Amino acid sequence: VVANLVEEGLVDADAALDFFVDRGRSLAVRKAPSGPDLQVALADFRRALALAKTHEQRKEIEFQIKLVSWMQEGLRLVTELQGLQAHDTCGEGVADVHQMNVWMTQVGDVVRSALLASLGKEQPMARWWKLSIGTRVKVMDNVDELMRLCKRPAPGAQGP
């Protein structure tokens, strides 16, 4: 299989670089029950970095290494929270583990929203349009903004 050819050095450096970058990305975002494999993803990015020939390739791979390291830190914090929960069941320490779980989930949601917004992926709809079945939408949690948007006339309707 391709992985074996790459691991045995039977492909050229460009093909190996592409393989390690692609596999690193895939492992970092794997949604299997076992979750992402960040250790192997980092190893793949480091191998790709060693094969990089251009400044641009190195910068891109270095950024991916930073991003996966950031993901590892986030998962380390989840593990730390689980440790706090274990202490709580023993009657030691954390005042409200459930509240910490809720807050950590909210933090994750905010990080995701901020990331998408900064990439221009999550924006309020600026105009009406027909959405196809299965389109993902976000429910607003700002009542005033929702009321303002609901006062706009529907397409083809007369304004006030």
Side-chain angles (χ1 to χ4, degrees):
V1 180
V2 175
N4 293 340
L5 296 173
V6 173
E7 297 290 344
E8 293 174 21
L10 299 175
V11 299
D12 65 36
D14 290 335
L17 176 110
D18 290 343
F19 173 81
F20 288 125
V21 168
D22 289 345
R23 187 171 73 176
R25 288 178 178 172
S26 294
L27 291 170
V29 298
R30 183 175 64 185
K31 292 184 179 179
S34 59
D37 190 340
L38 301 179
Q39 288 294 97
V40 176
L42 271 178
D44 279 354
F45 287 133
R46 288 185 179 120
R47 291 175 79 178
L49 186 60
L51 296 167
K53 294 178 182 172
T54 69
H55 175 73
E56 291 79 17
Q57 287 173 329
R58 283 189 291 282
K59 293 304 280 182
E60 182 179 327
I61 295 166
E62 287 168 351
F63 178 79
Q64 291 172 98
I65 289 170
K66 287 179 192 175
L67 189 56
V68 172
S69 297
W70 177 70
M71 292 171 68
Q72 282 183 312
E73 178 61 15
L75 292 176
R76 188 196 64 72
L77 290 171
V78 170
T79 301
E80 187 176 326
L81 179 60
Q82 290 169 339
L84 293 174
Q85 291 171 335
H87 283 17
D88 186 54
T89 60
C90 300
E92 302 174 12
V94 182
D96 191 347
V97 172
H98 174 72
Q99 189 60 32
M100 288 292 292
N101 285 337
V102 170
W103 184 70
M104 190 164 206
T105 301
Q106 290 171 335
V107 167
D109 291 343
V110 168
V111 169
R112 184 178 193 286
S113 292
L115 177 64
L116 290 174
S118 69
L119 296 172
K121 300 289 184 185
E122 187 175 300
Q123 303 275 333
M125 290 173 45
R127 60 179 174 77
W128 289 94
W129 55 32
K130 184 176 183 175
L131 299 175
S132 59
I133 294 174
T135 301
R136 293 181 66 177
V137 297
K138 180 179 178 184
V139 177
M140 297 187 102
D141 60 354
N142 183 330
V143 175
D144 294 331
E145 178 66 3
L146 179 61
M147 297 288 283
R148 185 190 71 76
L149 293 173
C150 287
K151 290 179 181 175
R152 296 184 304 180
Q158 295 293 331

